[in-house]
Amino acid sequence: MPPSTLTTLTDAVVDVLNTLEFSQPFTAERDYLPKFDLAEMKELRVTVVPKRVVSQAADRSRTQFDYDIDVGVQKKLQSLDNSEIDELVALAEEIADQFRQQRLSAFPSAICLKAEVEPVFAQEHLDQLRQFTSVVTLSYRLWN
């Protein structure tokens, strides 16, 4: 059975993330259940998760498909110093900027219509775990 379009798109996002250079080095991975022990979070983790598929009629003969893919940026912080957090916020924005209005070379019929950083940081993770967590949601559109 061939992989789903959502899985193929998600893998293409992982490939792009692992090909480009960012302000901080990381290796992105696709995961359905991104749960990690706090001890594993000392290193920067970038996890790509398929999120949502919405289909609707585009016209009499075509269907519009919208696919959302989440890119999680997570790291256990040394301190709650603004400079350490600022670097991670900037990385999440960098990731969003790399995809917005871009096509994936492995999937050129899909265009990223929107790249949303929500939350910019999860307050409860900072407060309770001293961990930075941000989510970049990439929204792709295809017609069939």
Side-chain angles (χ1 to χ4, degrees):
M1 183 154 132
S4 73
T5 300
L6 183 59
T7 302
T8 303
L9 278 170
T10 304
D11 286 341
V13 168
V14 170
D15 291 344
V16 169
L17 288 168
N18 289 334
T19 302
L20 297 175
E21 286 192 34
F22 291 93
S23 61
Q24 297 185 50
F26 61 83
T27 300
E29 296 179 348
R30 176 168 64 95
D31 199 344
Y32 284 106
L33 189 61
K35 288 187 176 184
F36 308 104
D37 292 328
L38 204 50
E40 296 176 276
M41 301 310 290
K42 290 180 183 175
E43 299 295 322
L44 175 62
R45 295 189 78 91
V46 175
T47 310
V48 185
V49 180
K51 180 179 182 177
R52 178 176 84 131
V53 179
V54 177
S55 62
Q56 61 187 3
D59 56 35
R60 288 183 178 185
S61 62
R62 293 187 315 160
T63 303
Q64 173 183 304
F65 294 90
D66 292 326
Y67 298 89
D68 287 347
I69 298 166
D70 281 344
V71 179
V73 177
Q74 297 179 291
K75 185 177 181 185
K76 173 89 169 125
L77 300 172
Q78 301 280 335
S79 70
L80 294 178
D81 181 61
N82 281 351
S83 63
E84 188 176 5
I85 297 169
D86 289 347
E87 290 176 358
L88 294 164
V89 168
L91 177 61
E93 290 178 359
E94 275 181 75
I95 290 170
D97 291 344
Q98 286 295 328
F99 287 92
R100 192 176 298 109
Q101 297 182 356
Q102 298 297 314
R103 294 186 185 275
L104 297 167
S105 59
F107 211 122
S109 58
I111 186 166
C112 183
L113 296 178
K114 181 172 70 169
E116 180 179 13
V117 183
E118 170 73 30
V120 172
F121 65 96
Q123 290 183 351
E124 65 278 3
H125 286 198
L126 279 180
D127 184 41
Q128 297 170 13
L129 305 172
R130 204 179 203 159
Q131 174 183 294
F132 177 86
T133 300
S134 184
V135 178
V136 179
T137 301
L138 305 173
S139 299
Y140 284 90
R141 178 162 291 161
L142 290 159
W143 291 271
N144 188 1

